[in-house]
Amino acid sequence: MADLSLSNVRKAFGAFNVLHGIDLKIEDGEFVVFVGPSGCGKSTLLRAIAGLEDISGGDIRIGGEIVNHVPPAERQIAMVFQSYALYPHMDVYTNMAFGLKFAKIPKDEIDRRVRKAASILKLDAVLDRKPGALSGGQRQRVAIGRAIVRQPKVFLFDEPLSNLDAALRVNTRIEIAKLHRELGATMIYVTHDQVEAMTLADKIVVLNAGRIEQVGTPLDLYHAPANLFVAGFIGSPAMNLMEARVIALENGHLKLSVGEQHISLPYSGAPVAPGATVTVGIRPEHWIPGDGPSVKIEGTVDLVEHLGETSIVYLRLADGQMITVRYPGDIFCTAGDRFVADAPAAAVHLFDAAGQAMLGRRSGPAYGILGQEFRAR
Amino acid sequence: MMAETAPQSSWVKRIEPWLLLAPMLIVLATVTAWPLARTAYLSFMHASLDDGDLPRFIGFGNYLALMKDGDWWHAVRNTAFFAVISVTLETLAGVAIALLIDSQIKGRGALRAVMLIPWAIPTVVSAQMWQWMLHDQYGVVNALLIKLGFISHGIAWTAGAGTAMAAIIAVDVWQTTPFMVLLILAGLQIIPRDLYEAAKVDGAPGWAQFFYITLPLLWPTLAVAILFRLLDAVRMFDLAYVLSSKSRETATISIYARQQLVDFQDVGYGSAVAMLVFLMISLVAAVYIQVTKIRLISE
Amino acid sequence: MKRLAKTVALTLLKIVVVFYTIFPFYWAIVSSFKSGAALFSVDFFPAIDLTNYRDLLTNGNFLRNILNSAIVAVSVVTLSLIFAITSAYALGKMKFRGRGIVLAGILGASMFPQIVVLSGLFGTIRWLGLYNSLGSLVLSYMIFSLPFTVWVMTSFIRQIPAELEDAARMDGCSTWAMIWQIYFPLLAPALASTGLLAFIASWNEFLFALTFTLSDTVRTVPVGLALISGSSRFELPFGTIMAASVIVTVPLILLVLIFQRRIVSGLTAGAVK
Ligand SMILES: Nc1ncnc2c1ncn2[C@@H]1O[C@H](COP(=O)(O)OP(=O)(O)O)[C@@H](O)[C@H]1O
Ligand SMILES: [Mg+2]
């Protein structure tokens, strides 16, 4: 059993609180990704799990046992570092075998494990090289190999791909996903890259300023962000968040004023008083005219960017708020043009003054329907 | 099974750094703190190995006598003069030569290698070399000056009243300017080159680049280098000892202190001298660090 | 035209600097090859006459002095580096209360004027029974060599990324294994340059060597060299002195030139941040 649970884990550096009571359960074999802005405490949390930082409060359990004071090497975990942290003075073989020697594992067993890991990672040919003589991708694989040979219950990765170039990053990402499937081990992966988070994770943990904002599957976070922070953080370009005022709630519809225009949304949640401030969220890629009830917002074009596969239009509303609209393919308009952006009401998110989501799971527009049509055929 | 090791591990963690530091701290205390305390203690004693008396406490007696000791004040003046003049010359020459080397692409390595030669020569050796070059009858310096018609007969450089100190300064400048050059070169290397390009684009002439870019960015390095040199100069001993023996004209405070301690065997008085040397050097360092605001310890 | 003048001026300047830097040593070499009356003539390219060298090398004291210097310098360097690497690990990689004070103390000790401890240290050396022995020098040279090596090694060890230590902890390295299996090999180049500088400083030291040793058999080279005198008051021993100077200096210069880069990095690690 290698499930892992954190209860009320706190960490302070001196008087500076970095983690404010983290509660989290990670199931055996799960691939969990921690995301969050730089400095929010992702690495600190990972290092606390590894035992590299002493925690200031709470409990960390691995396989049901409290490991708060167990030294890192005895927690049956392995970690892959951002800079790889390979020992520059040892060859690849010794780098991988180093930890096993301390664990008093017999020599032939060490040899067997190192060679097996090397063959999985295609490192057989470079076993006697020093890290300095390896390419970035090879170093990265040695770092992973060093983790594999320990046969840990939990793998920890701290932004392992950030030092690779773009093409290699995609490849290695796929390799890591495959590795997870093959080993079936629990993996915790820290990144600030959304694509990595969305593609790798069974479960994403969004951290902000030392607190968990939301835990969920990638699509949960995308379609049902629990709060403003997650809404703004997940998705790129970021969701449009517009200030709005409640005008009235009548026969199941919420009338709002956004950028001096009125919109109306089907609403069945808790009652809201007219005059309350709320935030309306619509993802740039969801401004697609639908055939159901829709929300229309009018503005002036500030700038258009043509990316080939998509076009991005920056709109200025009457009250000065800016919104981003992303269309597939080309769109022809120029700065100064008047423009009406149109999104299905089902794609609109709503957050109360405290930043909490007021509506349930939202669904994107046309593609979902298209998908159903494909399946129907 | 995972062991629960909380109490022990935190206790070990707390003393571990001190265990690692202990050998170094003990040795360092044996050769600095303890002798310093003993020197301080002896400085309040009448303790002369000459007259066979038992040491006895005389309070500030040694210090009071020192205040009226003309030779001591002469040594202080000599030391101050030597330190200020030699460090100034070394700094100016060091900056000039470093800029010269830095501006060259060709022969830069060779020039730097040449700079290392005087630095590597033991001070006693360079003192002897210059002693020979400056010899009044057979020295090559006098021979050249006579040949060129500057002087008509040899000058006793290292013995003359006015020239001995000049000779010592000249040798010190010869020997330690390379140290300055090496440090300044390293300091110049960390100045980003594109700053100069930006300055050129802004139309700044060479002198402005020096005063507005080179000097301010070099200053942290230069300030530390000057401090090291200054402290070295204030405690200078070997050069003057070998070059002009123990002449009053060139005696530094270190020479004077050793004379009292070893030659005259006046341990109490000599210790008082040493304590004053310590106080003066600490003062120089403290004032210098205050004035230049250099940060020697980075956290 | 102006450009040409500038190039000529710079070249001239370089020649002057190089000449001024090298000439004294060149003159020492030249003089060491002259004996008898030849020594007193100003001759820049004399015939090579090895009399002075033969005199020196048949004089047991000089060789003994060199051996003494080597023994002292090697012992000082070895001990300092061993102490320095454990201390540097504590000061550069561990967080503990009092770290700042220790660093400040070491910095203070590196500025320590040697003359100040002369009388106090004399007592300690007597008490330890080290007077007039090489041990007195090994001990007293710690005063400059330890603060320097600790300081420089601390700044070198800090440049090693923290993740490496984390990785080693995950691999089960104890502190002791960390120091000797991870940092020691990684710091080898830094140890070489720091050790070389400490070696040169010990090799060149004069004040303590002059004060704590008496007999010819325990003297080090600088003292021996300062005290060489002719057989009569009127004999000028400069030929011999120059030969001795050359013998003492040439190995140092070779070492310094071979390890040029190392030396510069060692010098600057302490001073340039
Ligand atoms: N050893 C430390 N001492 C003091 N503050 C630290 C230390 N390590 C991290 N921090 C602080 O804790 C916060 C979280 O850091 P980290 O976990 O590295 O963030 P990230 O999410 O970018 O990985 C940051 O504000 C950082 O400055
Ligand atoms: Mg991080």
Side-chain angles (χ1 to χ4, degrees), chain B residues 14 16-18 20-21 23-25 27-28 30-32 34-36 38-39 42 97 100 103-104 106 109 111-125 128-133 135 138-140 143-144 170 173-174 178-179 182-183 186-187 190 220-221 224 227-228 231 235 237-238 241-242 253-255 257-258 261-262 267 271 274-275 277-278 281 285 289 295-299, chain C residues 10 13-14 17-18 20-25 27-28 31 39-40 42 44 83 86-87 89-91 94 96-100 102-104 106-107 109-121 123-124 139-140 142-143 146-147 150-151 158 175-176 179 197 200 203-204 206-207 210-211 222 225-227 236 238 241-242 245 248-249 252-253 256-257 260-261 263-264 267-268 270-273:
Chain B
R14 199 153 326 135
E16 203 173 29
W18 296 105
L20 291 171
L21 288 170
M24 184 274 292
L25 289 177
V27 173
L28 209 53
T30 314
V31 292
T32 57
W34 171 247
L36 180 65
R38 233 186 108 73
T39 302
L42 287 169
I97 296 176
L100 179 72
S103 70
Q104 306 292 307
K106 249 199 315 195
L111 276 172
R112 203 176 61 177
V114 165
M115 284 293 122
L116 282 162
I117 291 176
W119 174 81
I121 295 178
T123 308
V124 171
V125 170
Q128 293 284 29
M129 275 165 35
W130 282 86
Q131 175 100 304
W132 172 230
M133 284 174 46
H135 195 267
Y138 308 114
V140 64
L144 283 177
V173 168
W174 175 77
F179 171 81
L182 293 176
L183 287 188
I190 54 179
T221 310
V224 175
L227 176 64
F228 287 168
L231 292 172
R235 63 192 169 191
F237 174 81
D238 32 15
Y241 187 90
V242 176
I253 49 181
S254 287
I255 289 187
R258 186 177 181 279
L261 283 168
V262 179
V267 177
S271 296
M275 284 313 292
V277 171
F278 178 65
I281 291 183
I289 291 172
R295 286 175 46 80
L296 291 162
I297 300 180
S298 57
E299 279 309 311
Chain C
L10 278 179
L13 200 59
K14 268 195 283 184
V17 167
V18 170
Y20 182 70
T21 312
I22 292 186
F23 180 76
F25 190 58
W27 190 244
S31 304
L39 187 58
F40 306 126
V42 175
F44 292 97
F83 292 157
T86 54
S87 306
Y89 176 75
L91 293 170
M94 295 175 118
F96 61 97
R97 265 230 207 122
R99 187 174 141 265
V102 174
L103 275 173
I106 286 166
L107 190 65
S110 72
M111 301 179 182
F112 220 69
Q114 296 173 24
I115 188 77
V116 173
V117 292
L118 206 62
S119 61
L121 200 53
T124 311
L139 178 66
S140 58
M142 290 294 162
I143 201 175
L146 258 190
V150 171
W151 188 260
R158 274 191 191 169
T175 299
W176 198 243
I179 293 175
L197 290 169
I200 290 174
W203 184 267
N204 296 356
F206 182 63
L207 174 60
L210 183 69
T211 310
L225 209 74
L227 301 183
L236 283 175
F238 278 110
I241 293 182
M242 290 305 117
S245 300
V248 169
T249 310
L252 281 190
I253 291 185
V256 162
L257 291 185
Q260 225 190 103
R261 284 188 189 284
I263 300 247
V264 173
L267 275 178
T268 52
V272 186
K273 267 175 267 161

Side-chain angles (χ1 to χ4, degrees), chain A residues 13 16 18 37-45 53 159, chain C residues 95:
Chain A
F13 290 111
F16 177 52
V18 177
S38 175
C40 70
K42 305 181 295 290
S43 296
T44 305
L45 183 57
E53 302 282 1
E159 309 207 15
Chain C
K95 270 191 222 148

Side-chain angles (χ1 to χ4, degrees), chain C residues 147-187:
Chain C
F148 169 75
T149 47
V150 171
W151 188 260
V152 174
M153 290 317 292
T154 302
S155 71
F156 272 121
I157 212 168
R158 274 191 191 169
Q159 296 167 5
I160 296 179
E163 281 198 344
L164 205 62
E165 170 144 1
D166 293 337
R169 285 246 177 266
M170 301 286 301
D171 272 342
C173 250
S174 66
T175 299
W176 198 243
M178 186 84 75
I179 293 175
W180 295 108
Q181 294 190 31
I182 305 290
Y183 286 109
F184 180 69
L186 286 178
L187 287 170

